[in-house]
């Protein structure tokens, strides 16, 4: 798949630094994860040692000719103690698992709250958006999430390193030179595995990209919304071709790494076999020479065998940690993103007089665009939306209408100039207080798979004011439709959570969003193309009621349909980052500028296509 896409590398921390990050995190939020983890490490390291000592003790007892009762008691006691440790290990493992999973969900919450503390513009920008998804990947994936793998990998690493040391301390009594050789071989094995891990890591970028391509194709193939296009445009061959291509990319990478895996695995096995055979031979030699008793023989034999296993386990724990550290780097990079300067809640916004007057004073704004450079959308924009005024904003695609709304409601900040409310700089108010001023219908929809009431109030079900919700639905022209279909406040929207959930048509969705804005009943109402998906009759109904539901509010209406502007007190036409024309509909028509020309084109089209036609569609009343 040809693509310009490159994966941005975020700050790379060492594994130790990432482990330290989690230690601090758990110390702060759930220290018992550390306590249980520490206990698991101790039990996990001590148990294998007991296991290799048990046969030695048994043989020693037999060799010394101990009374059967005493031998039974010694072995029984030892066995019981081992069982107790085993049980305790399982207990702390389960405890740690539950606690760190709870904290993983806590981390998901922290990431969500962090996203709200970022400037909206930073969240919207391409790289941060990608980082956001990577972070969700790192925290959401259950036992395979980076957060879980880091905890398990750290415990495994510590257990195996500790076992390695404990077994070394046993083998030191067999022979110091032999132990030195074993350690040197283990070091060589470690180096070899590290070069294997590094090779795997060198493929990570390519693999992430190939997986992303595969996911894009997979999503497109599985998306029910795309099923219509796939059929109508005969995309079957193209899609299956893309699938084969993306699977091919992944398979090629996987085969590439499998060859290396096989090489390193065989080399590791050969090394382990040589190490073990040498050590066993030495042990046999010592035993025959009489330097080692039968009990010691089984002890050392177990230690040599275990030594190999711990070397291998240490390597795989390291590989797990290195892989998981990548996700942790993303989490840390995200949590470190600079946050917006926030003011404490002052409640002052409630003290200003409503409906408010909003002024744009010499406002300049550009989107940060890495590829094309910053392109100014506005330069020196001056605009006063008077208290209680109904303002319409028109302009061709890309003229900056939506950007103006984002500036107005505080999603983005001007690069130059100020935005004032009743003469006070809006930076005087905390962002959340500012948001309370606006009821907005955005073009993009967010309908959650929860109840109608929750979706209207955007709040918990028990806090929904049903009377207010029905009134909003009525004003938006949806009440009758809902009542006819037996939809109530506790009906589920979409079929995600409930099989009988409500699916709305495009136009109904738009009216539902209007109802949501009406429910909020904020002093400033902003409608960004609220009728784009409505049929002409439903659209004219929205216009007819516009005066009614914007009464006592400052209102901004953005629309391509110039008929809507007739209901506004004033119209501004945006062009080239400036207000090109301003006035009432009549004034602008008389002026005969771009607005008049656009209006003429549209009304002649409407006259041609809709005059004399019967009202059709899903309009109420
Ligand atoms: P309108 O709503 O009038 O169609 P917009 O306000 O959406 O126009 O866009 C104004 C200009 O800003 C356009 O040139 C558009 O390509 C650009 N633009 C809009 N959103 C972004 C964004 N998030 N990043 C970069 N450029 C953007």
């Amino acid at each position: 798949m040809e693509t310009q896409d490159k994966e941005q590398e975020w700050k790379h921390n060492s594994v130790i630094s990432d482990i330290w990050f989690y230690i601090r995190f758990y110390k702060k939020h759930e220290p018992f994860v550390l306590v249980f983890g520490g206990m698991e490490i101790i039990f996990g390291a001590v148990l294998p040692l007991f296991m290799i000592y048990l046969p030695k003790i048994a043989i020693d007892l037999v060799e010394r000719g101990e009374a059967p009762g005493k031998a039974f008691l010694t072995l029984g006691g030892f066995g019981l103690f081992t069982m107790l440790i085993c049980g305790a290990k399982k207990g702390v493992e389960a405890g740690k698992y539950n606690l760190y999973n709870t904290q993983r969900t806590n981390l998901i919450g922290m990431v969500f709250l962090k996203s709200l503390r970022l400037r909206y513009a930073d969240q919207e920008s391409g790289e941060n958006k990608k980082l956001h998804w990577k972070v969700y990947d790192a925290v959401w994936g259950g036992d395979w999430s980076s957060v879980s793998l880091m905890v398990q990998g750290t415990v495994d690493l510590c257990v195996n390193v500790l076992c390695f040391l404990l077994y070394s301390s046993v083998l030191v009594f067999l022979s110091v030179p032999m132990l030195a050789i074993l350690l040197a071989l283990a070091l060589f094995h470690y180096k070899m595995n590290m070069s294997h891990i590094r090779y795997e890591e060198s493929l990570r970028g390519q693999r992430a990209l190939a997986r992303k391509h595969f996911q894009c194709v997979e999503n497109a193939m599985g998306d029910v919304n795309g099923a219509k296009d796939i059929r109508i445009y005969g995309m079957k061959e193209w899609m299956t071709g893309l699938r084969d291509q993306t699977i091919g990319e992944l398979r090629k990478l996987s085969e590439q790494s499998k060859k290396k895996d096989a090489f390193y695995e065989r080399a590791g096995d050969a090394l382990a076999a040589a190490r073990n055979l040498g050590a066993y031979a030495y042990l046999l030699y010592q035993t025959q020479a009489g330097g080692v008793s039968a009990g010691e023989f089984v002890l050392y034999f177990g230690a040599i065998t275990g030594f190999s296993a711990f070397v291998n386990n240490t390597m795989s724990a390291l590989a797990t940690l290195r892989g998981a550290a990548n996700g942790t780097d993303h989490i840390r990079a995200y949590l470190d993103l600079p946050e917006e300067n926030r003011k404490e809640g002052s409640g002052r916004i409630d003290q200003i007089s409503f409906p408010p007057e909003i002024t744009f004073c010499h406002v300049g704004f550009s989107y940060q665009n890495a590829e094309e450079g910053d392109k100014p959308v506005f330069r020196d924009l001056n605009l006063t939306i008077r208290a209680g005024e109904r303002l319409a904003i028109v302009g061709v695609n890309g003229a900056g209408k939506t950007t103006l709304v984002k500036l107005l409601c505080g999603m983005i900040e001007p690069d130059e100039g100020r935005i004032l409310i009743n003469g006070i700089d809006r930076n005087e108010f905390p962002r959340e207080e500012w948001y309370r001023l606006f009821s907005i219908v955005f073009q993009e929809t967010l309908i959650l798979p929860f109840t109608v009431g929750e979706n209207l109030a955007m709040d918990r079900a028990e806090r929904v004011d049903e009377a207010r919700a029905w009134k909003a639905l009525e004003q938006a022209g949806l009440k009758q439709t809902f009542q006819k279909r037996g939809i109530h406040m506790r009906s589920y929207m979409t079929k995600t959570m409930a099989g009988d959930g409500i699916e709305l048509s495009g136009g109904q969705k738009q009216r539902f969003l209007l109802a949501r804005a009406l429910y909020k009943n904020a002093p400033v109402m902003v409608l960004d193309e609220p009728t784009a998906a409505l049929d002409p009759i439903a659209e004219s109904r929205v216009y007819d009621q516009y005066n009614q539901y914007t009464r006592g509010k400052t209102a901004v209406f953005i629309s391509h349909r110039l008929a809507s502007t007739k209901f506004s007190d004033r119209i501004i036409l945006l062009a080239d980052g400036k207000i090109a024309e301003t006035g009432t509909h009549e004034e602008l028509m008389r002026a005969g500028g771009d607005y008049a020309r656009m209006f003429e084109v549209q009304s002649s089209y409407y006259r041609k296509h809709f005059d004399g036609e019967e009202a059709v569609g899903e309009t109420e009343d």
Side-chain angles (χ1 to χ4, degrees), residues 229-252:
D229 298 72
I230 292 173
R231 282 176 171 77
I232 297 294
Y233 288 100
M235 291 157 66
K236 189 176 77 183
E237 267 174 43
W238 180 37
M239 297 301 263
T240 46
L242 278 176
R243 181 205 57 190
D244 293 347
Q245 195 185 336
T246 49
I247 288 181
E249 276 174 43
L250 276 173
R251 194 171 290 149
K252 198 170 125 205

Coordinates of all heavy atoms in Angstrom, one line a residue, residues 229-252:
D229 N -21.9 1.2 -0.1 CA -20.9 1.7 -1.1 C -20.2 0.5 -1.7 O -19.9 0.4 -3.0 CB -19.9 2.6 -0.5 CG -20.6 3.8 0.0 OD1 -21.3 3.7 1.1 OD2 -20.4 4.9 -0.6
I230 N -19.8 -0.5 -0.9 CA -19.1 -1.6 -1.4 C -19.9 -2.4 -2.5 O -19.3 -2.7 -3.5 CB -18.7 -2.6 -0.2 CG1 -17.7 -1.9 0.7 CG2 -18.1 -3.9 -0.7 CD1 -17.3 -2.6 2.0
R231 N -21.2 -2.5 -2.2 CA -22.0 -3.2 -3.2 C -22.2 -2.4 -4.5 O -21.9 -2.8 -5.6 CB -23.4 -3.5 -2.6 CG -23.4 -4.6 -1.7 CD -24.8 -4.7 -1.0 NE -25.0 -5.9 -0.3 CZ -24.5 -6.1 0.9 NH1 -23.8 -5.2 1.5 NH2 -24.7 -7.3 1.6
I232 N -22.6 -1.1 -4.3 CA -23.0 -0.3 -5.4 C -21.8 0.0 -6.3 O -21.9 0.0 -7.5 CB -23.6 1.1 -4.9 CG1 -24.9 0.8 -4.2 CG2 -23.8 2.0 -6.1 CD1 -26.0 0.2 -5.0
Y233 N -20.6 0.3 -5.7 CA -19.5 0.7 -6.5 C -18.6 -0.6 -6.9 O -17.5 -0.4 -7.4 CB -18.6 1.7 -5.7 CG -19.3 3.0 -5.7 CD1 -19.9 3.5 -4.5 CD2 -19.3 3.9 -6.8 CE1 -20.5 4.7 -4.5 CE2 -19.9 5.1 -6.8 CZ -20.5 5.5 -5.6 OH -21.1 6.7 -5.6
G234 N -19.2 -1.7 -6.6 CA -18.5 -3.0 -7.0 C -17.0 -3.0 -6.4 O -16.1 -3.2 -7.2
M235 N -16.9 -2.7 -5.1 CA -15.5 -2.6 -4.5 C -15.0 -3.9 -4.1 O -13.9 -3.9 -3.5 CB -15.6 -1.6 -3.3 CG -15.9 -0.2 -3.7 SD -16.5 0.8 -2.3 CE -15.2 0.8 -1.2
K236 N -15.7 -5.0 -4.4 CA -15.3 -6.3 -3.8 C -13.9 -6.6 -4.1 O -13.1 -7.0 -3.2 CB -16.3 -7.4 -4.4 CG -16.1 -8.7 -3.7 CD -17.2 -9.7 -4.2 CE -16.8 -10.1 -5.6 NZ -17.7 -11.0 -6.3
E237 N -13.5 -6.6 -5.4 CA -12.2 -7.0 -5.8 C -11.1 -6.1 -5.3 O -10.1 -6.5 -4.8 CB -12.1 -7.0 -7.4 CG -12.4 -8.4 -7.9 CD -12.4 -8.3 -9.4 OE1 -11.5 -7.7 -10.0 OE2 -13.4 -8.9 -10.0
W238 N -11.4 -4.8 -5.3 CA -10.5 -3.8 -4.7 C -10.2 -4.1 -3.3 O -9.1 -4.2 -2.8 CB -11.0 -2.4 -4.9 CG -10.2 -1.3 -4.4 CD1 -8.8 -1.3 -4.5 CD2 -10.6 -0.1 -3.8 NE1 -8.3 -0.1 -3.9 CE2 -9.4 0.6 -3.5 CE3 -11.8 0.4 -3.4 CZ2 -9.4 1.9 -2.9 CZ3 -11.8 1.7 -2.8 CH2 -10.7 2.4 -2.5
M239 N -11.3 -4.3 -2.5 CA -11.2 -4.6 -1.1 C -10.4 -5.9 -0.8 O -9.6 -5.9 0.0 CB -12.6 -4.7 -0.4 CG -13.4 -3.4 -0.5 SD -12.5 -2.0 0.3 CE -13.2 -2.0 1.9
T240 N -10.8 -6.9 -1.5 CA -10.1 -8.2 -1.3 C -8.6 -8.1 -1.7 O -7.8 -8.7 -1.0 CB -10.8 -9.4 -2.0 OG1 -11.1 -9.0 -3.3 CG2 -12.1 -9.8 -1.3
G241 N -8.4 -7.4 -2.8 CA -7.0 -7.1 -3.2 C -6.2 -6.4 -2.1 O -5.1 -6.8 -1.8
L242 N -6.9 -5.4 -1.5 CA -6.2 -4.6 -0.5 C -5.9 -5.5 0.8 O -4.9 -5.5 1.4 CB -7.1 -3.5 0.0 CG -7.0 -2.2 -0.9 CD1 -8.0 -1.2 -0.4 CD2 -5.6 -1.6 -0.8
R243 N -6.9 -6.4 1.0 CA -6.8 -7.3 2.2 C -5.6 -8.2 1.9 O -4.7 -8.3 2.8 CB -8.1 -8.1 2.4 CG -8.0 -9.1 3.5 CD -8.9 -10.2 3.4 NE -8.6 -11.0 2.1 CZ -9.4 -11.9 1.6 NH1 -10.5 -12.2 2.2 NH2 -9.1 -12.5 0.5
D244 N -5.5 -8.8 0.7 CA -4.4 -9.7 0.4 C -3.1 -9.0 0.5 O -2.1 -9.5 1.1 CB -4.6 -10.3 -1.0 CG -5.8 -11.2 -1.0 OD1 -6.3 -11.6 0.1 OD2 -6.2 -11.6 -2.1
Q245 N -3.1 -7.7 0.0 CA -1.8 -7.0 0.0 C -1.4 -6.6 1.5 O -0.2 -6.8 1.8 CB -2.1 -5.7 -0.7 CG -0.8 -4.9 -1.1 CD -1.2 -3.6 -1.8 OE1 -2.3 -3.4 -2.3 NE2 -0.2 -2.7 -1.7
T246 N -2.4 -6.2 2.3 CA -2.0 -5.9 3.7 C -1.6 -7.1 4.5 O -0.7 -7.1 5.3 CB -3.1 -5.1 4.4 OG1 -4.3 -5.8 4.2 CG2 -3.3 -3.7 3.9
I247 N -2.3 -8.2 4.2 CA -2.0 -9.4 4.9 C -0.6 -9.9 4.5 O 0.3 -10.3 5.2 CB -3.0 -10.6 4.7 CG1 -4.3 -10.2 5.4 CG2 -2.5 -11.9 5.1 CD1 -5.4 -11.2 5.3
G248 N -0.3 -9.7 3.1 CA 1.0 -10.0 2.6 C 2.1 -9.3 3.3 O 3.1 -9.8 3.6
E249 N 1.9 -7.9 3.5 CA 2.9 -7.1 4.1 C 3.2 -7.7 5.5 O 4.3 -7.8 5.9 CB 2.3 -5.7 4.3 CG 2.5 -4.7 3.2 CD 1.7 -3.4 3.4 OE1 1.9 -2.9 4.5 OE2 1.0 -2.9 2.5
L250 N 2.1 -8.0 6.3 CA 2.3 -8.5 7.6 C 3.0 -9.8 7.6 O 3.9 -10.1 8.4 CB 0.9 -8.7 8.3 CG 0.3 -7.4 8.9 CD1 -1.1 -7.7 9.4 CD2 1.2 -7.0 10.1
R251 N 2.6 -10.7 6.6 CA 3.2 -12.0 6.6 C 4.7 -11.9 6.2 O 5.5 -12.7 6.8 CB 2.4 -12.8 5.5 CG 2.7 -14.3 5.6 CD 1.8 -15.1 4.7 NE 0.4 -15.2 5.2 CZ -0.6 -15.2 4.4 NH1 -0.4 -15.3 3.1 NH2 -1.8 -15.3 4.9
K252 N 5.0 -11.0 5.3 CA 6.4 -10.9 4.9 C 7.2 -10.5 6.2 O 8.3 -11.1 6.4 CB 6.5 -9.8 3.9 CG 7.8 -9.8 3.1 CD 7.7 -8.9 1.9 CE 8.9 -8.0 2.0 NZ 8.7 -6.7 1.3

